[in-house]
Amino acid sequence: MAEEYDIKTGQLISRKWREKNTLGGTGKWQVEVGEPTSPLLGAMESELITESSSNPIFMRKDTLSSFQWRIRNLPYPKEVYSVCVEEEQRCCVIRTTNKKYYKKFSIPDLDRYHLPLDAAALSFTHANNTLIITYQKPKEILAAEEQLQKELKKIKAANSGDGDCKTQ
């Protein structure tokens, strides 16, 4: 796992996981929080066939008090969307009444802490062709993140410029 934090605010910018592939080598990075990386960036194959730029883009961007998902390129009004919690499958579901978009997603942070999903903590809004889904963080996760912030304050930033690396 690799995490990137903003030095000034202490906010999580990205979290990526990498697992071993079937042959034991390192696999591709799986983005959990932050901008998804575009595959085949700069490769010749990307010039032949590319996905449409108007496809919905699903990404997670957390705030200090909530988990937040943003789905760009969704032009429908707010009344069309329905966001609910599926407790038996431990996931959230986004549906549209016009049957143009459907998405299931889990909250891995709640799974790691073995916490139940709470429908009352889930809310959504729509603005500028972007659906924003917000799930308020439980107090257990807020306490764990506060403890993590204390640990991070002890660590120097990777590019803080205080290193004694000399160029030749």
Side-chain angles (χ1 to χ4, degrees):
M1 178 189 62
E3 290 182 328
E4 183 180 345
Y5 289 89
D6 186 338
I7 294 175
K8 293 177 183 166
T9 63
Q11 190 170 351
L12 179 65
I13 296 172
S14 71
R15 180 184 295 144
K16 300 175 187 178
W17 294 86
R18 180 184 262 179
E19 295 180 359
K20 298 218 180 269
N21 61 15
T22 53
L23 298 175
T26 55
K28 294 183 180 179
W29 286 102
Q30 302 295 322
V31 178
E32 183 179 312
V33 177
E35 290 279 339
T37 56
S38 77
L40 302 171
L41 200 77
M44 282 299 268
E45 296 152 9
S46 66
E47 294 176 11
L48 301 175
I49 299 175
T50 59
E51 66 182 46
S52 172
S53 62
S54 64
N55 280 356
I57 300 169
F58 182 83
M59 64 171 284
R60 179 172 153 188
K61 182 170 174 48
D62 290 356
T63 64
L64 293 176
S65 63
S66 64
F67 303 118
Q68 196 173 80
W69 295 267
R70 294 173 182 256
I71 308 168
R72 288 189 240 141
N73 298 332
L74 287 178
Y76 317 112
K78 183 180 178 179
E79 301 79 41
V80 172
Y81 300 101
S82 164
V83 181
C84 61
V85 171
E86 295 277 335
E87 292 185 23
E88 59 274 355
Q89 294 180 358
R90 295 197 47 81
C91 66
C92 299
V93 179
I94 305 165
R95 293 182 178 91
T96 57
T97 55
N98 61 6
K99 301 196 188 293
K100 297 285 185 182
Y101 189 79
Y102 178 85
K103 176 82 174 170
K104 276 183 169 181
F105 62 95
S106 63
I107 306 175
D109 300 67
L110 294 180
D111 294 340
R112 281 187 216 110
Y113 287 94
H114 306 291
L115 296 172
L117 289 170
D118 182 17
L122 190 67
S123 64
F124 71 97
T125 184
H126 186 269
N128 301 325
N129 285 349
T130 303
L131 183 69
I132 302 169
I133 298 126
T134 305
Y135 188 95
Q136 295 300 319
K137 291 179 181 177
K139 60 180 179 289
E140 294 89 350
I141 291 181
L142 290 172
E145 286 182 353
E146 186 178 321
Q147 185 66 30
L148 178 66
Q149 288 300 323
K150 289 178 185 175
E151 293 294 322
L152 288 175
K153 291 210 186 303
K154 299 176 187 173
I155 300 172
K156 279 190 175 180
N159 58 355
S160 62
D162 294 348
D164 51 343
C165 180
K166 295 178 176 68
T167 58
Q168 295 181 358

